[in-house]
Amino acid sequence: MTDVLKLKVAAGFEELYGYQPLGIWSAPGRVNLIGEHTDYNEGFVFPFAISRRTFAAVALRTDGIARVASSFSSDVVEIPVAEISRQTVSGWSAYPLGVAWALKELGKANQTGFDLFIESDVPVGAGLSSSAAIECSVAVALNELWNAGLELRDLARVGQLAENQIVGAPTGIMDQSASLLGQLDHGVFLDCRDLSSQVIDLGFAREGLELLIIDTRVEHRHADGGYASRRAACEAGAAALGVRSLRDASAADLARAQELLDDVTFRRVRHVITENQRVLDTVAALQAQGPRAIGELLYQSHQSMRDDFEISIDELDTAVETALRHGAVGARMTGGGFGGAAIALCPIEKISEISRSVEAEFLALGYAKPDIFVVSAAPGAHRE
Ligand code: ADP
Ligand code: MG
């Protein structure tokens, strides 16, 4: 697949612009293994880069103009790099142009422009961060072509700046960190307070395990209001406990929290406190015992999101329970909730039975047909 996309992106560039690109760079999407709604509480997350990638074929121009195009859309967007702003760009081109803008803001863009063409097999809007994949593929390309000399962790900030300032989405830094720092069969354990990260051996391939993504194709219903109210509950909980953020609370504070808080706020707080601990426990279990030992933690995470944080939906619960019943080591919903995808860590020999069973169960319950596919933990952004 990867080789096909590499050929396609080069051919697409040449057909559109009439000459060959200087190089091809790529960056993966990501999935969050565990650590949900912990990021804005300055806690821990543990995503990994996946075997679905976005490829950028790029060449420099000497006139300061950027031209961007994608197999995903028929328009070719052309603008002087110096004129990129929130007002002048919109739609999908805001992602690649936003990256060029962010490098310029950081004083890292020389005045040359570029021609760029994008190809990708990261599904859009499935919770696998096609947005980080496009940002990071462009970030590593321009970092090299413009001699910006930034390190991968700085490029994560470049992607985030682009998304916050030019796209206008108030997102954190997890997605870009995973896309840039991922390694083959490793996860990226990220501390959302100081943004330090550690690459951790997952051992899935070695242990004969694969990760199944079960995309319910339910769009994130009521996600906006639900997200805002969860954030507000976390802030109220932290204030009542007298801590800067829930990162600073632990299981020892739960009894006090239960006395101080109303039932709903207490359960929101309990999710975050226990989820942070589960991320730490997952890292420890992987290091001490290997990936088969994390199954129970994945399911506990799901139960906590279902019962305490109340962000699951019937389709996600069905995906998780069915996968577990048919031999998954562990399973949970992943992402912000109210729709999107579940993940199931599965022995390779059980993959087809689990996939078939989930699909049959969805059909029996009258749900939309889910999109089910395997991902492995892949290397981060690089030049091809
Ligand atoms: P996701 O969960 O996939 O990151 P987002 O809404 O954050 O969803 O980002 C998806 C957007 O990113 C798309 O609507 C599009 O604007 C842009 N995008 C992603 N992949 C591509 C691509 N291959 N070509 C052009 N734009 C893309
Ligand atoms: Mg995104």
Side-chain angles (χ1 to χ4, degrees):
M1 193 63 177
T2 288
D3 289 341
V4 174
L5 284 179
K6 223 169 14 187
L7 293 173
K8 278 176 80 175
V9 77
F13 182 104
E14 205 173 334
E15 190 183 323
L16 183 66
Y17 299 121
Y19 67 101
Q20 286 187 352
L22 264 178
I24 297 167
W25 288 260
S26 75
R30 65 95 190 96
V31 67
N32 195 18
L33 183 62
I34 195 162
E36 223 66 75
H37 288 267
T38 46
D39 55 348
Y40 54 81
N41 291 296
E42 299 187 304
F44 305 108
V45 294
F46 191 15
F48 64 84
I50 58 171
S51 46
R52 297 278 188 120
R53 304 182 80 83
T54 296
F55 291 77
V58 193
L60 287 175
R61 299 169 61 93
T62 51
D63 58 1
I65 287 175
R67 289 193 293 180
V68 296
S70 165
S71 59
F72 167 106
S73 154
S74 57
D75 43 322
V76 183
V77 178
E78 181 172 333
I79 185 171
V81 172
E83 287 174 23
I84 298 169
S85 73
R86 180 80 172 269
Q87 285 70 42
T88 54
V89 301
S90 63
W92 73 267
S93 70
Y95 293 86
L97 293 172
V99 168
W101 171 88
L103 285 168
K104 182 168 63 76
E105 281 296 294
L106 295 173
K108 296 296 183 185
N110 59 37
Q111 279 310 301
T112 60
F114 58 92
D115 283 338
L116 176 140
F117 188 77
I118 297 281
E119 260 296 348
S120 178
D121 66 356
V122 185
V124 171
L128 300 177
S129 206
S130 66
S131 55
I134 188 171
E135 288 155 10
C136 295
S137 64
V138 176
V140 287
L142 292 182
N143 187 47
E144 189 173 333
L145 290 173
W146 282 355
N147 293 315
L150 294 177
E151 309 217 341
L152 292 177
R153 49 167 56 217
D154 303 321
L155 293 180
R157 279 214 41 241
V158 165
Q160 185 194 19
L161 257 180
E163 195 152 342
N164 293 168
Q165 301 296 323
I166 302 298
V167 176
T171 50
I173 203 162
M174 167 170 86
D175 300 352
Q176 295 84 359
S177 301
S179 180
L180 288 159
L181 301 170
Q183 291 178 19
L184 187 67
D185 215 15
H186 284 66
V188 180
F189 168 48
L190 187 68
D191 180 334
C192 296
R193 171 164 279 171
D194 65 10
L195 302 184
S196 62
S197 61
Q198 210 183 324
V199 173
I200 306 283
D201 187 6
L202 293 171
F204 291 174
R206 205 167 49 239
E207 286 285 326
L209 299 173
E210 282 184 327
L211 196 87
L212 205 58
I213 307 265
I214 305 164
D215 180 5
T216 64
R217 300 168 76 189
V218 176
E219 277 186 40
H220 301 258
R221 302 176 194 138
H222 316 302
D224 288 352
Y227 185 78
S229 72
R230 298 308 183 280
R231 271 192 92 131
C234 292
E235 278 164 27
L241 288 170
V243 291
R244 174 175 135 180
S245 75
L246 290 180
R247 158 67 176 277
D248 299 308
S250 71
D253 296 302
L254 284 172
R256 191 162 63 92
Q258 190 156 24
E259 270 178 28
L260 287 170
L261 303 170
D262 64 86
D263 174 59
V264 169
T265 310
F266 169 65
R267 286 185 294 114
R268 304 298 188 251
V269 165
R270 182 165 62 184
H271 166 71
V272 175
I273 290 176
T274 58
E275 184 78 354
N276 271 326
Q277 189 59 48
R278 279 186 291 271
V279 178
L280 299 174
D281 291 347
T282 298
V283 171
L286 281 170
Q287 291 175 327
Q289 296 158 273
R292 287 178 193 264
I294 70 170
E296 187 55 33
L297 290 162
L298 297 180
Y299 186 52
Q300 283 169 9
S301 169
H302 183 75
Q303 291 172 304
S304 178
M305 286 189 280
R306 182 190 65 200
D307 303 334
D308 276 355
F309 224 59
E310 296 182 279
I311 54 172
S312 190
I313 58 170
D314 292 345
E315 287 89 336
L316 289 166
D317 294 339
T318 299
V320 165
E321 299 298 338
T322 309
L324 289 172
R325 218 165 40 241
H326 290 272
V329 169
R332 58 184 282 273
M333 54 159 285
T334 184
F338 308 104
I343 56 173
L345 184 61
C346 307
I348 289 173
E349 68 276 11
K350 293 273 171 68
I351 288 278
S352 61
E353 182 197 333
I354 292 169
S355 310
R356 265 187 284 113
S357 306
V358 170
E359 207 177 302
E361 193 69 22
F362 270 53
L363 187 70
L365 290 167
Y367 300 158
K369 188 171 184 284
D371 192 13
I372 305 179
F373 51 93
V374 165
V375 293
S376 54
H382 56 74
R383 185 173 189 159
E384 293 291 333

